[in-house]
Amino acid sequence: MSAGSRKWPRNWSAAHLTRLRVLRACSCAIHAAALATLPPSLQVLDLQNCKELMEGASFAHLTRLHTLSFKHGAVDDSMLVTLPPSLVSLNLEKMPHGWGYLTHEAVFPRLPALRVLNVNYTGVGDAAVTS
């Protein structure tokens, strides 16, 4: 995808890419159905600048995912609870004075491997910190 938000093809599937390790889909409008077809082999997922909310999106099936970037993207509280325990690095940074979907009630699931967490300019509060 080139610069600027692009619509993700509705019938796109990565189910046949059983050995896919890295997907960089920046500045696009990937939808939950396409995300659900990503193989469990995926280790790096870059959704930077994906500003359309992916309602119903889940990362739970990505059991080997270690790096996820939603920098300047649209992520909400419900997506956080689906993050796999394999995550080592998570970037949820928002633009200063930008819009965001994370609230003070947002919580993280148990992420025992997490070593890097960027929540600059997000709406997370005490609930996320204590989780």
Side-chain angles (χ1 to χ4, degrees):
M1 300 282 166
S2 60
S5 186
R6 304 280 185 204
K7 293 291 181 191
W8 201 266
R10 273 298 199 207
N11 59 352
W12 185 87
S13 173
H16 64 289
L17 301 173
T18 58
R19 299 180 73 177
L20 184 66
R21 301 286 187 268
V22 176
L23 177 62
R24 300 195 190 286
C26 302
S27 300
C28 69
I30 190 170
H31 47 86
L35 189 67
T37 71
L38 296 177
S41 60
L42 197 67
Q43 297 174 351
V44 176
L45 180 56
D46 187 352
L47 299 174
Q48 182 172 305
N49 289 314
C50 291
K51 293 188 172 31
E52 290 192 23
L53 186 63
M54 300 180 330
E55 190 171 318
S58 173
F59 302 96
H61 68 290
L62 301 175
T63 56
R64 294 185 183 156
L65 190 65
H66 64 71
T67 302
L68 175 59
S69 177
F70 253 118
K71 184 177 181 179
H72 304 163
V75 61
D76 68 8
D77 295 359
S78 67
M79 289 181 211
L80 289 186
V81 298
T82 71
L83 296 175
S86 57
L87 271 184
V88 174
S89 178
L90 177 59
N91 188 346
L92 301 173
E93 180 179 358
K94 295 291 178 197
M95 296 178 77
H97 310 294
W99 44 266
Y101 298 102
L102 295 177
T103 69
H104 290 295
E105 290 79 34
V107 294
F108 293 100
R110 188 169 182 282
L111 299 171
L114 194 65
R115 300 293 179 262
V116 178
L117 175 62
N118 185 347
V119 289
N120 287 337
Y121 306 109
T122 64
V124 299
D126 293 342
V129 173
T130 59
S131 67

